[in-house]
Amino acid sequence: MPAVTVADVAALPRVPEPGPTDLDRGVRSVTTAPRGYEGEGFPVRRAFAGVDLRDLDPFLHMDQMGEVEYAPGEPKGTSWHPHRGFETVTYIIDGEFEHQDSHGGGGSITNGDTQWMTAGGGLLHIERPPEALVASGGLFHGLQLWVNLPKADKWLEPKYQDLRAREAALLTTPDGGALIRVIAGSLAGHEGPGSTYTPMAMMHATVSPGARMRLPWRRDFNALVYVLSGAGTVGKDDRPIREGQLAVFGPGDLVTVSGNRGQDSRTPALDVVLLGGRPIREPVAWGGPFVMNTRAEVLQAFEDYQKGKLGVIPASYVPHGSLGGSSA
């Protein structure tokens, strides 16, 4: 799990020690993500399955994509599909993914890079492994997160952010026991590169065996921790958690995550994604790739898609294996 690594964690800026009156958040629930398939058939874990949307708000959905070692010819992606009313955040830990949308956004992301797409009023997009990776096979691992937009922002002009791994703010704990990558939001005065309409934070932390990470957390944000690999404990009561599980925290000022002293040889450390955001507290009407405030708005989105109002496949799009031309 390379993502972003550093030669000397001890040289990084350090998160300050908690204050004497800071309240450590307890854990309200721990759930295990079921396995499934997405797009053309790539394996995922549904990280938020079974969790009430009110506990996730402003987040909607998250898939852990892989971790999978593809044989030659096996890597898969998605076909062209629409979105409206929210943002997609695709974070690649291992491997490479290409993105293209009908609004002119696109690019390729690899170890530690993030694609942040604001669907807003609507567009079409496609995500797929590059042709070279399809031919060779290889390791693939990443996340896709859906972030809701408030009613006032659901009709924004679509926007695309290409965030490179080197742009993430890198921090460590007072004892140097964790590497924290800040992708969006702020931690101890250090800002991640992601620009968000909904106030939120997203971080990827690697916690060494036996280390304890206590991070300051805004009281007006919810707090979620999802385990990518390894095992440890979370919250003020040291609740056990392992790979593929999500912890939902209660109120407070701190989020605590600790790595077990004994990790298996395949996953030598505890890797977690930390999410927090200010709840939107608006009605959610969700239909497939559309997330609006009313059922009528969802039905309108389907109608607009069928009429081609959400965009068309760009003439420059070339399917894998094609010598040229367009699929449009």
PDB file of all heavy atoms in Angstrom, residues 256-296:
ATOM      1  N   THR A 256      -9.649   9.009  18.131  1.00  0.00           N
ATOM      2  CA  THR A 256      -8.527   8.168  18.535  1.00  0.00           C
ATOM      3  C   THR A 256      -8.533   6.860  17.759  1.00  0.00           C
ATOM      4  O   THR A 256      -9.568   6.190  17.670  1.00  0.00           O
ATOM      5  CB  THR A 256      -8.589   7.869  20.053  1.00  0.00           C
ATOM      6  OG1 THR A 256      -8.472   9.100  20.772  1.00  0.00           O
ATOM      7  CG2 THR A 256      -7.464   6.935  20.476  1.00  0.00           C
ATOM      8  N   VAL A 257      -7.367   6.513  17.189  1.00  0.00           N
ATOM      9  CA  VAL A 257      -7.179   5.256  16.461  1.00  0.00           C
ATOM     10  C   VAL A 257      -5.847   4.663  16.901  1.00  0.00           C
ATOM     11  O   VAL A 257      -4.826   5.361  16.903  1.00  0.00           O
ATOM     12  CB  VAL A 257      -7.158   5.482  14.931  1.00  0.00           C
ATOM     13  CG1 VAL A 257      -6.948   4.161  14.201  1.00  0.00           C
ATOM     14  CG2 VAL A 257      -8.444   6.156  14.457  1.00  0.00           C
ATOM     15  N   SER A 258      -5.839   3.378  17.261  1.00  0.00           N
ATOM     16  CA  SER A 258      -4.620   2.707  17.694  1.00  0.00           C
ATOM     17  C   SER A 258      -4.390   1.454  16.870  1.00  0.00           C
ATOM     18  O   SER A 258      -5.344   0.742  16.531  1.00  0.00           O
ATOM     19  CB  SER A 258      -4.703   2.325  19.181  1.00  0.00           C
ATOM     20  OG  SER A 258      -4.923   3.469  19.988  1.00  0.00           O
ATOM     21  N   GLY A 259      -3.136   1.164  16.572  1.00  0.00           N
ATOM     22  CA  GLY A 259      -2.790  -0.041  15.834  1.00  0.00           C
ATOM     23  C   GLY A 259      -2.436  -1.175  16.774  1.00  0.00           C
ATOM     24  O   GLY A 259      -1.720  -0.972  17.756  1.00  0.00           O
ATOM     25  N   ASN A 260      -2.943  -2.359  16.490  1.00  0.00           N
ATOM     26  CA  ASN A 260      -2.559  -3.527  17.284  1.00  0.00           C
ATOM     27  C   ASN A 260      -1.049  -3.758  17.183  1.00  0.00           C
ATOM     28  O   ASN A 260      -0.443  -3.530  16.138  1.00  0.00           O
ATOM     29  CB  ASN A 260      -3.290  -4.781  16.806  1.00  0.00           C
ATOM     30  CG  ASN A 260      -4.756  -4.796  17.212  1.00  0.00           C
ATOM     31  OD1 ASN A 260      -5.227  -3.930  17.952  1.00  0.00           O
ATOM     32  ND2 ASN A 260      -5.484  -5.782  16.723  1.00  0.00           N
ATOM     33  N   ARG A 261      -0.471  -4.268  18.271  1.00  0.00           N
ATOM     34  CA  ARG A 261       0.965  -4.558  18.250  1.00  0.00           C
ATOM     35  C   ARG A 261       1.284  -5.686  17.274  1.00  0.00           C
ATOM     36  O   ARG A 261       2.331  -5.687  16.630  1.00  0.00           O
ATOM     37  CB  ARG A 261       1.454  -4.914  19.649  1.00  0.00           C
ATOM     38  CG  ARG A 261       1.446  -3.734  20.604  1.00  0.00           C
ATOM     39  CD  ARG A 261       2.148  -4.045  21.911  1.00  0.00           C
ATOM     40  NE  ARG A 261       2.130  -2.876  22.778  1.00  0.00           N
ATOM     41  CZ  ARG A 261       2.987  -1.856  22.707  1.00  0.00           C
ATOM     42  NH1 ARG A 261       3.942  -1.878  21.781  1.00  0.00           N
ATOM     43  NH2 ARG A 261       2.902  -0.843  23.531  1.00  0.00           N
ATOM     44  N   GLY A 262       0.382  -6.645  17.172  1.00  0.00           N
ATOM     45  CA  GLY A 262       0.582  -7.753  16.253  1.00  0.00           C
ATOM     46  C   GLY A 262      -0.263  -7.591  15.008  1.00  0.00           C
ATOM     47  O   GLY A 262      -1.494  -7.599  15.077  1.00  0.00           O
ATOM     48  N   GLN A 263       0.358  -7.388  13.846  1.00  0.00           N
ATOM     49  CA  GLN A 263      -0.324  -7.319  12.560  1.00  0.00           C
ATOM     50  C   GLN A 263       0.160  -8.500  11.719  1.00  0.00           C
ATOM     51  O   GLN A 263       1.256  -9.019  11.943  1.00  0.00           O
ATOM     52  CB  GLN A 263       0.000  -6.003  11.837  1.00  0.00           C
ATOM     53  CG  GLN A 263      -0.332  -4.750  12.625  1.00  0.00           C
ATOM     54  CD  GLN A 263      -1.816  -4.412  12.628  1.00  0.00           C
ATOM     55  OE1 GLN A 263      -2.601  -4.978  11.874  1.00  0.00           O
ATOM     56  NE2 GLN A 263      -2.211  -3.483  13.492  1.00  0.00           N
ATOM     57  N   ASP A 264      -0.661  -8.929  10.765  1.00  0.00           N
ATOM     58  CA  ASP A 264      -0.190 -10.050   9.948  1.00  0.00           C
ATOM     59  C   ASP A 264       0.851  -9.578   8.935  1.00  0.00           C
ATOM     60  O   ASP A 264       1.002  -8.380   8.679  1.00  0.00           O
ATOM     61  CB  ASP A 264      -1.349 -10.798   9.274  1.00  0.00           C
ATOM     62  CG  ASP A 264      -2.079  -9.986   8.214  1.00  0.00           C
ATOM     63  OD1 ASP A 264      -1.408  -9.293   7.435  1.00  0.00           O
ATOM     64  OD2 ASP A 264      -3.323 -10.065   8.146  1.00  0.00           O
ATOM     65  N   SER A 265       1.598 -10.514   8.366  1.00  0.00           N
ATOM     66  CA  SER A 265       2.733 -10.181   7.514  1.00  0.00           C
ATOM     67  C   SER A 265       2.313  -9.466   6.234  1.00  0.00           C
ATOM     68  O   SER A 265       3.093  -8.705   5.650  1.00  0.00           O
ATOM     69  CB  SER A 265       3.511 -11.455   7.158  1.00  0.00           C
ATOM     70  OG  SER A 265       2.668 -12.388   6.496  1.00  0.00           O
ATOM     71  N   ARG A 266       1.076  -9.679   5.792  1.00  0.00           N
ATOM     72  CA  ARG A 266       0.598  -9.040   4.562  1.00  0.00           C
ATOM     73  C   ARG A 266       0.277  -7.572   4.782  1.00  0.00           C
ATOM     74  O   ARG A 266       0.368  -6.761   3.861  1.00  0.00           O
ATOM     75  CB  ARG A 266      -0.643  -9.786   4.047  1.00  0.00           C
ATOM     76  CG  ARG A 266      -1.133  -9.331   2.679  1.00  0.00           C
ATOM     77  CD  ARG A 266      -2.368 -10.113   2.254  1.00  0.00           C
ATOM     78  NE  ARG A 266      -3.498  -9.849   3.113  1.00  0.00           N
ATOM     79  CZ  ARG A 266      -4.330  -8.822   2.963  1.00  0.00           C
ATOM     80  NH1 ARG A 266      -4.147  -7.955   1.990  1.00  0.00           N
ATOM     81  NH2 ARG A 266      -5.354  -8.667   3.792  1.00  0.00           N
ATOM     82  N   THR A 267      -0.131  -7.230   5.996  1.00  0.00           N
ATOM     83  CA  THR A 267      -0.498  -5.852   6.320  1.00  0.00           C
ATOM     84  C   THR A 267       0.250  -5.432   7.589  1.00  0.00           C
ATOM     85  O   THR A 267      -0.273  -5.564   8.697  1.00  0.00           O
ATOM     86  CB  THR A 267      -2.019  -5.723   6.537  1.00  0.00           C
ATOM     87  OG1 THR A 267      -2.437  -6.676   7.535  1.00  0.00           O
ATOM     88  CG2 THR A 267      -2.774  -6.011   5.253  1.00  0.00           C
ATOM     89  N   PRO A 268       1.463  -4.942   7.446  1.00  0.00           N
ATOM     90  CA  PRO A 268       2.313  -4.671   8.609  1.00  0.00           C
ATOM     91  C   PRO A 268       1.884  -3.489   9.465  1.00  0.00           C
ATOM     92  O   PRO A 268       2.422  -3.291  10.558  1.00  0.00           O
ATOM     93  CB  PRO A 268       3.683  -4.416   7.983  1.00  0.00           C
ATOM     94  CG  PRO A 268       3.387  -3.949   6.596  1.00  0.00           C
ATOM     95  CD  PRO A 268       2.161  -4.688   6.175  1.00  0.00           C
ATOM     96  N   ALA A 269       0.929  -2.677   8.996  1.00  0.00           N
ATOM     97  CA  ALA A 269       0.457  -1.523   9.770  1.00  0.00           C
ATOM     98  C   ALA A 269      -1.053  -1.411   9.610  1.00  0.00           C
ATOM     99  O   ALA A 269      -1.670  -2.106   8.803  1.00  0.00           O
ATOM    100  CB  ALA A 269       1.148  -0.244   9.307  1.00  0.00           C
ATOM    101  N   LEU A 270      -1.644  -0.530  10.401  1.00  0.00           N
ATOM    102  CA  LEU A 270      -3.076  -0.234  10.309  1.00  0.00           C
ATOM    103  C   LEU A 270      -3.264   0.955   9.385  1.00  0.00           C
ATOM    104  O   LEU A 270      -2.738   2.040   9.656  1.00  0.00           O
ATOM    105  CB  LEU A 270      -3.637   0.073  11.700  1.00  0.00           C
ATOM    106  CG  LEU A 270      -5.078   0.586  11.766  1.00  0.00           C
ATOM    107  CD1 LEU A 270      -6.060  -0.481  11.301  1.00  0.00           C
ATOM    108  CD2 LEU A 270      -5.417   1.045  13.190  1.00  0.00           C
ATOM    109  N   ASP A 271      -3.988   0.762   8.285  1.00  0.00           N
ATOM    110  CA  ASP A 271      -4.282   1.856   7.365  1.00  0.00           C
ATOM    111  C   ASP A 271      -5.755   2.192   7.433  1.00  0.00           C
ATOM    112  O   ASP A 271      -6.612   1.310   7.287  1.00  0.00           O
ATOM    113  CB  ASP A 271      -3.910   1.481   5.934  1.00  0.00           C
ATOM    114  CG  ASP A 271      -2.500   1.899   5.570  1.00  0.00           C
ATOM    115  OD1 ASP A 271      -1.572   1.115   5.835  1.00  0.00           O
ATOM    116  OD2 ASP A 271      -2.333   3.024   5.057  1.00  0.00           O
ATOM    117  N   VAL A 272      -6.068   3.466   7.664  1.00  0.00           N
ATOM    118  CA  VAL A 272      -7.455   3.901   7.795  1.00  0.00           C
ATOM    119  C   VAL A 272      -7.694   5.160   6.973  1.00  0.00           C
ATOM    120  O   VAL A 272      -6.775   5.950   6.719  1.00  0.00           O
ATOM    121  CB  VAL A 272      -7.832   4.189   9.264  1.00  0.00           C
ATOM    122  CG1 VAL A 272      -7.684   2.941  10.114  1.00  0.00           C
ATOM    123  CG2 VAL A 272      -7.005   5.336   9.847  1.00  0.00           C
ATOM    124  N   VAL A 273      -8.951   5.336   6.555  1.00  0.00           N
ATOM    125  CA  VAL A 273      -9.415   6.597   5.978  1.00  0.00           C
ATOM    126  C   VAL A 273     -10.307   7.263   7.019  1.00  0.00           C
ATOM    127  O   VAL A 273     -11.213   6.619   7.572  1.00  0.00           O
ATOM    128  CB  VAL A 273     -10.181   6.366   4.668  1.00  0.00           C
ATOM    129  CG1 VAL A 273     -10.881   7.633   4.213  1.00  0.00           C
ATOM    130  CG2 VAL A 273      -9.228   5.888   3.585  1.00  0.00           C
ATOM    131  N   LEU A 274     -10.046   8.526   7.296  1.00  0.00           N
ATOM    132  CA  LEU A 274     -10.837   9.307   8.241  1.00  0.00           C
ATOM    133  C   LEU A 274     -11.647  10.338   7.478  1.00  0.00           C
ATOM    134  O   LEU A 274     -11.108  11.056   6.627  1.00  0.00           O
ATOM    135  CB  LEU A 274      -9.943  10.016   9.267  1.00  0.00           C
ATOM    136  CG  LEU A 274      -9.035   9.119  10.106  1.00  0.00           C
ATOM    137  CD1 LEU A 274      -7.618   9.150   9.561  1.00  0.00           C
ATOM    138  CD2 LEU A 274      -9.042   9.553  11.569  1.00  0.00           C
ATOM    139  N   LEU A 275     -12.936  10.404   7.784  1.00  0.00           N
ATOM    140  CA  LEU A 275     -13.844  11.335   7.120  1.00  0.00           C
ATOM    141  C   LEU A 275     -14.623  12.120   8.158  1.00  0.00           C
ATOM    142  O   LEU A 275     -15.055  11.573   9.185  1.00  0.00           O
ATOM    143  CB  LEU A 275     -14.842  10.584   6.235  1.00  0.00           C
ATOM    144  CG  LEU A 275     -14.272   9.745   5.093  1.00  0.00           C
ATOM    145  CD1 LEU A 275     -15.367   8.866   4.505  1.00  0.00           C
ATOM    146  CD2 LEU A 275     -13.677  10.639   4.016  1.00  0.00           C
ATOM    147  N   GLY A 276     -14.827  13.388   7.882  1.00  0.00           N
ATOM    148  CA  GLY A 276     -15.685  14.202   8.733  1.00  0.00           C
ATOM    149  C   GLY A 276     -16.272  15.332   7.919  1.00  0.00           C
ATOM    150  O   GLY A 276     -15.636  15.832   6.987  1.00  0.00           O
ATOM    151  N   GLY A 277     -17.490  15.724   8.245  1.00  0.00           N
ATOM    152  CA  GLY A 277     -18.113  16.818   7.523  1.00  0.00           C
ATOM    153  C   GLY A 277     -19.242  17.431   8.316  1.00  0.00           C
ATOM    154  O   GLY A 277     -19.771  16.825   9.248  1.00  0.00           O
ATOM    155  N   ARG A 278     -19.600  18.661   7.929  1.00  0.00           N
ATOM    156  CA  ARG A 278     -20.725  19.327   8.561  1.00  0.00           C
ATOM    157  C   ARG A 278     -22.019  18.793   7.939  1.00  0.00           C
ATOM    158  O   ARG A 278     -22.223  18.897   6.724  1.00  0.00           O
ATOM    159  CB  ARG A 278     -20.649  20.835   8.348  1.00  0.00           C
ATOM    160  CG  ARG A 278     -21.782  21.609   9.061  1.00  0.00           C
ATOM    161  CD  ARG A 278     -21.785  23.058   8.639  1.00  0.00           C
ATOM    162  NE  ARG A 278     -20.545  23.715   9.020  1.00  0.00           N
ATOM    163  CZ  ARG A 278     -20.103  24.835   8.459  1.00  0.00           C
ATOM    164  NH1 ARG A 278     -20.784  25.401   7.471  1.00  0.00           N
ATOM    165  NH2 ARG A 278     -18.962  25.385   8.859  1.00  0.00           N
ATOM    166  N   PRO A 279     -22.891  18.184   8.735  1.00  0.00           N
ATOM    167  CA  PRO A 279     -24.128  17.624   8.177  1.00  0.00           C
ATOM    168  C   PRO A 279     -24.956  18.681   7.459  1.00  0.00           C
ATOM    169  O   PRO A 279     -25.076  19.822   7.913  1.00  0.00           O
ATOM    170  CB  PRO A 279     -24.852  17.083   9.412  1.00  0.00           C
ATOM    171  CG  PRO A 279     -23.762  16.813  10.406  1.00  0.00           C
ATOM    172  CD  PRO A 279     -22.756  17.903  10.178  1.00  0.00           C
ATOM    173  N   ILE A 280     -25.529  18.299   6.316  1.00  0.00           N
ATOM    174  CA  ILE A 280     -26.349  19.208   5.523  1.00  0.00           C
ATOM    175  C   ILE A 280     -27.766  19.303   6.094  1.00  0.00           C
ATOM    176  O   ILE A 280     -28.402  20.351   6.056  1.00  0.00           O
ATOM    177  CB  ILE A 280     -26.381  18.730   4.053  1.00  0.00           C
ATOM    178  CG1 ILE A 280     -24.966  18.814   3.459  1.00  0.00           C
ATOM    179  CG2 ILE A 280     -27.348  19.574   3.226  1.00  0.00           C
ATOM    180  CD1 ILE A 280     -24.843  18.197   2.084  1.00  0.00           C
ATOM    181  N   ARG A 281     -28.282  18.174   6.586  1.00  0.00           N
ATOM    182  CA  ARG A 281     -29.607  18.134   7.226  1.00  0.00           C
ATOM    183  C   ARG A 281     -30.714  18.587   6.278  1.00  0.00           C
ATOM    184  O   ARG A 281     -31.567  19.400   6.627  1.00  0.00           O
ATOM    185  CB  ARG A 281     -29.634  18.981   8.496  1.00  0.00           C
ATOM    186  CG  ARG A 281     -28.597  18.610   9.536  1.00  0.00           C
ATOM    187  CD  ARG A 281     -28.831  17.255  10.128  1.00  0.00           C
ATOM    188  NE  ARG A 281     -27.983  16.995  11.286  1.00  0.00           N
ATOM    189  CZ  ARG A 281     -27.297  15.876  11.497  1.00  0.00           C
ATOM    190  NH1 ARG A 281     -27.359  14.890  10.603  1.00  0.00           N
ATOM    191  NH2 ARG A 281     -26.583  15.723  12.584  1.00  0.00           N
ATOM    192  N   GLU A 282     -30.674  18.063   5.045  1.00  0.00           N
ATOM    193  CA  GLU A 282     -31.735  18.314   4.082  1.00  0.00           C
ATOM    194  C   GLU A 282     -32.296  16.982   3.606  1.00  0.00           C
ATOM    195  O   GLU A 282     -31.622  15.950   3.711  1.00  0.00           O
ATOM    196  CB  GLU A 282     -31.191  19.106   2.882  1.00  0.00           C
ATOM    197  CG  GLU A 282     -30.792  20.530   3.205  1.00  0.00           C
ATOM    198  CD  GLU A 282     -30.225  21.267   1.996  1.00  0.00           C
ATOM    199  OE1 GLU A 282     -30.016  20.639   0.939  1.00  0.00           O
ATOM    200  OE2 GLU A 282     -29.975  22.471   2.121  1.00  0.00           O
ATOM    201  N   PRO A 283     -33.519  16.977   3.061  1.00  0.00           N
ATOM    202  CA  PRO A 283     -34.075  15.724   2.543  1.00  0.00           C
ATOM    203  C   PRO A 283     -33.190  15.152   1.434  1.00  0.00           C
ATOM    204  O   PRO A 283     -32.615  15.901   0.638  1.00  0.00           O
ATOM    205  CB  PRO A 283     -35.442  16.142   1.985  1.00  0.00           C
ATOM    206  CG  PRO A 283     -35.777  17.422   2.675  1.00  0.00           C
ATOM    207  CD  PRO A 283     -34.471  18.108   2.928  1.00  0.00           C
ATOM    208  N   VAL A 284     -33.070  13.822   1.411  1.00  0.00           N
ATOM    209  CA  VAL A 284     -32.287  13.134   0.387  1.00  0.00           C
ATOM    210  C   VAL A 284     -33.218  12.247  -0.430  1.00  0.00           C
ATOM    211  O   VAL A 284     -33.876  11.351   0.116  1.00  0.00           O
ATOM    212  CB  VAL A 284     -31.159  12.284   1.004  1.00  0.00           C
ATOM    213  CG1 VAL A 284     -30.450  11.468  -0.082  1.00  0.00           C
ATOM    214  CG2 VAL A 284     -30.160  13.175   1.743  1.00  0.00           C
ATOM    215  N   ALA A 285     -33.307  12.517  -1.726  1.00  0.00           N
ATOM    216  CA  ALA A 285     -34.034  11.655  -2.660  1.00  0.00           C
ATOM    217  C   ALA A 285     -32.992  11.074  -3.604  1.00  0.00           C
ATOM    218  O   ALA A 285     -32.318  11.809  -4.328  1.00  0.00           O
ATOM    219  CB  ALA A 285     -35.081  12.449  -3.429  1.00  0.00           C
ATOM    220  N   TRP A 286     -32.842   9.756  -3.583  1.00  0.00           N
ATOM    221  CA  TRP A 286     -31.728   9.097  -4.249  1.00  0.00           C
ATOM    222  C   TRP A 286     -32.269   8.085  -5.240  1.00  0.00           C
ATOM    223  O   TRP A 286     -33.026   7.183  -4.875  1.00  0.00           O
ATOM    224  CB  TRP A 286     -30.874   8.410  -3.195  1.00  0.00           C
ATOM    225  CG  TRP A 286     -29.569   7.829  -3.635  1.00  0.00           C
ATOM    226  CD1 TRP A 286     -29.158   7.558  -4.894  1.00  0.00           C
ATOM    227  CD2 TRP A 286     -28.494   7.449  -2.771  1.00  0.00           C
ATOM    228  NE1 TRP A 286     -27.897   7.033  -4.891  1.00  0.00           N
ATOM    229  CE2 TRP A 286     -27.461   6.946  -3.591  1.00  0.00           C
ATOM    230  CE3 TRP A 286     -28.310   7.482  -1.388  1.00  0.00           C
ATOM    231  CZ2 TRP A 286     -26.266   6.470  -3.071  1.00  0.00           C
ATOM    232  CZ3 TRP A 286     -27.115   7.018  -0.866  1.00  0.00           C
ATOM    233  CH2 TRP A 286     -26.107   6.524  -1.698  1.00  0.00           C
ATOM    234  N   GLY A 287     -31.860   8.240  -6.482  1.00  0.00           N
ATOM    235  CA  GLY A 287     -32.245   7.270  -7.504  1.00  0.00           C
ATOM    236  C   GLY A 287     -31.049   6.948  -8.369  1.00  0.00           C
ATOM    237  O   GLY A 287     -30.691   7.746  -9.243  1.00  0.00           O
ATOM    238  N   GLY A 288     -30.393   5.795  -8.125  1.00  0.00           N
ATOM    239  CA  GLY A 288     -29.239   5.400  -8.919  1.00  0.00           C
ATOM    240  C   GLY A 288     -28.149   6.445  -8.901  1.00  0.00           C
ATOM    241  O   GLY A 288     -27.601   6.770  -7.837  1.00  0.00           O
ATOM    242  N   PRO A 289     -27.815   7.042 -10.065  1.00  0.00           N
ATOM    243  CA  PRO A 289     -26.707   7.996 -10.136  1.00  0.00           C
ATOM    244  C   PRO A 289     -27.094   9.439  -9.826  1.00  0.00           C
ATOM    245  O   PRO A 289     -26.303  10.348 -10.060  1.00  0.00           O
ATOM    246  CB  PRO A 289     -26.267   7.873 -11.599  1.00  0.00           C
ATOM    247  CG  PRO A 289     -27.550   7.603 -12.334  1.00  0.00           C
ATOM    248  CD  PRO A 289     -28.372   6.744 -11.404  1.00  0.00           C
ATOM    249  N   PHE A 290     -28.307   9.648  -9.315  1.00  0.00           N
ATOM    250  CA  PHE A 290     -28.788  10.996  -9.040  1.00  0.00           C
ATOM    251  C   PHE A 290     -29.151  11.130  -7.560  1.00  0.00           C
ATOM    252  O   PHE A 290     -29.855  10.277  -7.009  1.00  0.00           O
ATOM    253  CB  PHE A 290     -30.013  11.321  -9.905  1.00  0.00           C
ATOM    254  CG  PHE A 290     -29.794  11.069 -11.372  1.00  0.00           C
ATOM    255  CD1 PHE A 290     -30.631  10.216 -12.082  1.00  0.00           C
ATOM    256  CD2 PHE A 290     -28.746  11.685 -12.048  1.00  0.00           C
ATOM    257  CE1 PHE A 290     -30.438   9.983 -13.436  1.00  0.00           C
ATOM    258  CE2 PHE A 290     -28.543  11.453 -13.406  1.00  0.00           C
ATOM    259  CZ  PHE A 290     -29.382  10.595 -14.098  1.00  0.00           C
ATOM    260  N   VAL A 291     -28.697  12.212  -6.927  1.00  0.00           N
ATOM    261  CA  VAL A 291     -29.008  12.476  -5.522  1.00  0.00           C
ATOM    262  C   VAL A 291     -29.538  13.901  -5.425  1.00  0.00           C
ATOM    263  O   VAL A 291     -28.788  14.878  -5.565  1.00  0.00           O
ATOM    264  CB  VAL A 291     -27.775  12.298  -4.611  1.00  0.00           C
ATOM    265  CG1 VAL A 291     -28.171  12.525  -3.152  1.00  0.00           C
ATOM    266  CG2 VAL A 291     -27.174  10.902  -4.779  1.00  0.00           C
ATOM    267  N   MET A 292     -30.864  14.000  -5.190  1.00  0.00           N
ATOM    268  CA  MET A 292     -31.525  15.296  -5.157  1.00  0.00           C
ATOM    269  C   MET A 292     -32.266  15.446  -3.825  1.00  0.00           C
ATOM    270  O   MET A 292     -32.060  14.666  -2.894  1.00  0.00           O
ATOM    271  CB  MET A 292     -32.464  15.421  -6.358  1.00  0.00           C
ATOM    272  CG  MET A 292     -31.794  15.154  -7.706  1.00  0.00           C
ATOM    273  SD  MET A 292     -30.389  16.245  -8.075  1.00  0.00           S
ATOM    274  CE  MET A 292     -31.248  17.804  -8.323  1.00  0.00           C
ATOM    275  N   ASN A 293     -33.158  16.445  -3.758  1.00  0.00           N
ATOM    276  CA  ASN A 293     -33.914  16.674  -2.523  1.00  0.00           C
ATOM    277  C   ASN A 293     -35.338  16.133  -2.580  1.00  0.00           C
ATOM    278  O   ASN A 293     -35.955  15.916  -1.539  1.00  0.00           O
ATOM    279  CB  ASN A 293     -33.971  18.176  -2.207  1.00  0.00           C
ATOM    280  CG  ASN A 293     -32.605  18.749  -1.873  1.00  0.00           C
ATOM    281  OD1 ASN A 293     -32.053  19.521  -2.640  1.00  0.00           O
ATOM    282  ND2 ASN A 293     -32.040  18.358  -0.741  1.00  0.00           N
ATOM    283  N   THR A 294     -35.865  15.937  -3.793  1.00  0.00           N
ATOM    284  CA  THR A 294     -37.227  15.422  -3.938  1.00  0.00           C
ATOM    285  C   THR A 294     -37.265  14.338  -5.006  1.00  0.00           C
ATOM    286  O   THR A 294     -36.412  14.289  -5.899  1.00  0.00           O
ATOM    287  CB  THR A 294     -38.216  16.535  -4.347  1.00  0.00           C
ATOM    288  OG1 THR A 294     -37.902  16.962  -5.684  1.00  0.00           O
ATOM    289  CG2 THR A 294     -38.140  17.725  -3.388  1.00  0.00           C
ATOM    290  N   ARG A 295     -38.277  13.471  -4.918  1.00  0.00           N
ATOM    291  CA  ARG A 295     -38.448  12.421  -5.920  1.00  0.00           C
ATOM    292  C   ARG A 295     -38.696  13.025  -7.307  1.00  0.00           C
ATOM    293  O   ARG A 295     -38.211  12.512  -8.316  1.00  0.00           O
ATOM    294  CB  ARG A 295     -39.619  11.512  -5.519  1.00  0.00           C
ATOM    295  CG  ARG A 295     -39.933  10.437  -6.551  1.00  0.00           C
ATOM    296  CD  ARG A 295     -40.937   9.419  -6.033  1.00  0.00           C
ATOM    297  NE  ARG A 295     -41.410   8.538  -7.084  1.00  0.00           N
ATOM    298  CZ  ARG A 295     -40.719   7.530  -7.599  1.00  0.00           C
ATOM    299  NH1 ARG A 295     -39.490   7.289  -7.151  1.00  0.00           N
ATOM    300  NH2 ARG A 295     -41.215   6.768  -8.545  1.00  0.00           N
ATOM    301  N   ALA A 296     -39.423  14.125  -7.343  1.00  0.00           N
ATOM    302  CA  ALA A 296     -39.697  14.771  -8.624  1.00  0.00           C
ATOM    303  C   ALA A 296     -38.396  15.214  -9.295  1.00  0.00           C
ATOM    304  O   ALA A 296     -38.245  15.106 -10.524  1.00  0.00           O
ATOM    305  CB  ALA A 296     -40.625  15.968  -8.421  1.00  0.00           C
TER     306      ALA A 296
END
